[in-house]
């Protein structure tokens, strides 16, 4: 519980610091919150606004000898690991959109068009950037940011500070979910990617039947045009696939705070 009075001011500040660790770590690893263009001050304010009410709902006392002890370091490490696991679970679901964009962009021949991803700061294809922005819109439209905050608040009941450690089963769930999201990204890109492969096969057949034709001047525009048309046709299916992947990431985060440690 929160200490009161002038005497407990230092202890209260330490409680505030501990309360910010788990939400801060989750927001650092989660999509949207963890974007590089989000100021660090905004993350700190949101972490404090989420952490103080959350830690107030469970019995909590600082280590008797302070934070700079073995018990204190264990407490901080558990908070960091739990927060990162919750945010990373949602990030894995969000990453399916980026992977689908990379696959489709390379199939369209746009792999050379690189842009800086505002989420991670790394370079990605233009189409991967487009699907990443689409995933951000869908994440916010389905109230994924509010669902993540709710998961963080609920985690304090099942994993109170000082006892917040991921079990072997929970870590295995995260690893297996990463493989599932790899398959989900491929499934999202499959309709457009497979059709583009057929277009490239047709262009190869034309190049064999008409060797005098300049394949590079015809094949690249035809592939890009076919890709744009296919993206417009498959947009509902792509949006549904991205939404499903994000929802599965949120479901995994909820299961992490309710599952028993292994």
């Amino acid at each position: 519980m929160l200490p009161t009075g002038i005497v407990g001011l230092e202890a209260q500040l330490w409680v505030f610091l501990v309360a910010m660790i788990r939400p801060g770590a989750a927001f650092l690893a989660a999509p949207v919150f963890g974007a590089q263009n989000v100021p660090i001050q905004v993350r700190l304010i949101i972490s404090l606004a989420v952490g103080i009410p959350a830690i107030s709902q469970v019995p909590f006392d600082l280590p008797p000898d302070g934070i700079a002890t073995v018990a204190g370091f264990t407490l901080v490490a558990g908070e960091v690991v739990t927060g990162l696991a919750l945010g990373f679970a949602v990030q894995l679901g969000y990453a399916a959109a980026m992977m689908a964009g990379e696959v489709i962009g390379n199939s369209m021949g746009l792999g050379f068009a690189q842009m800086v991803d505002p989420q991670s700061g790394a370079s990605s294809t233009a189409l991967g950037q487009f699907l990443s922005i689409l995933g951000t819109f869908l994440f916010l439209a389905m109230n994924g940011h509010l669902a993540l905050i709710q998961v963080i608040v609920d985690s304090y009941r099942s994993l109170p500070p000082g006892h917040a450690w991921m079990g072997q089963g929970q870590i295995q769930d995260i690893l297996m979910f990463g493989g599932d999201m790899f398959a989900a990204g491929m499934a999202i890109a499959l309709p457009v990617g497979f059709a583009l492969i057929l277009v490239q096969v047709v262009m190869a057949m034309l190049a064999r039947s008409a060797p005098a034709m300049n394949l590079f001047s015809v094949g690249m525009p035809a592939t890009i045009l076919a890709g744009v048309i296919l993206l417009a046709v498959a947009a509902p299916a792509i949006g549904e696939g991205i939404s499903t992947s994000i929802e599965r990431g949120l479901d995994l985060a909820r299961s992490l705070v309710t599952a028993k440690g292994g």
Side-chain angles (χ1 to χ4, degrees):
M1 55 187 300
L2 299 179
T4 58
I6 301 298
V7 179
L9 180 60
E10 181 182 358
Q12 185 173 357
L13 292 177
W14 280 113
V15 172
F16 286 174
L17 179 62
V18 172
M20 295 171 61
I21 295 176
R22 186 182 302 188
F27 294 150
L28 181 65
V32 181
F33 294 104
Q36 288 196 348
N37 53 6
V38 177
I40 186 66
Q41 294 85 351
V42 174
R43 286 188 222 165
L44 290 175
I45 293 173
I46 298 177
S47 300
L48 185 62
V50 173
I52 292 301
I55 204 172
S56 300
Q57 66 183 353
V58 296
F60 171 70
D61 293 316
L62 291 170
D65 298 328
I67 296 295
T69 59
V70 175
F73 284 126
T74 303
L75 169 66
V76 172
E79 292 295 292
V80 171
V81 170
T82 301
L84 290 177
L86 297 179
F88 188 62
V90 182
Q91 183 68 257
L92 285 175
Y94 178 86
M98 177 65 71
M99 180 178 177
E102 296 284 343
V103 173
I104 297 175
N106 291 329
S107 299
M108 290 176 61
L110 295 178
F112 61 88
Q114 299 288 328
M115 296 179 63
V116 176
D117 180 15
Q119 292 286 335
S120 61
S123 60
S124 62
T125 61
L127 194 56
Q129 186 63 236
F130 169 73
L131 291 187
S132 176
I133 295 174
L134 177 61
T136 301
F137 288 153
L138 292 173
F139 179 77
L140 297 175
M142 63 193 299
N143 291 326
H145 56 301
L146 300 180
L148 176 60
I149 292 175
Q150 183 64 51
V151 169
I152 296 173
V153 173
D154 293 340
S155 68
Y156 280 88
R157 300 191 185 97
S158 55
L159 298 171
H163 305 280
W165 287 101
M166 294 286 106
Q168 180 180 356
Q170 294 163 303
I171 296 175
Q172 184 178 3
D173 290 342
I174 296 176
L175 295 177
M176 296 301 295
F177 184 70
D180 290 343
M181 288 301 98
F182 182 86
M186 297 298 293
I188 294 173
L190 182 61
V192 178
F194 182 73
L196 288 174
I197 291 176
L198 294 180
V199 172
Q200 293 175 358
V201 170
V202 172
M203 298 306 301
M205 294 174 62
L206 290 176
R208 293 290 294 177
S209 60
M213 184 183 67
N214 190 347
L215 182 62
F216 291 99
S217 62
V218 178
M220 178 68 74
T223 303
I224 294 177
L225 179 61
V228 172
I229 295 175
L230 290 169
L231 279 174
V233 174
I238 292 176
E240 183 179 356
I242 295 175
S243 299
T244 302
S245 298
I246 295 175
E247 183 62 38
R248 289 183 61 189
L250 292 170
D251 291 339
L252 175 62
R254 295 188 189 99
S255 68
L256 292 178
V257 302
T258 57
K260 300 294 184 180

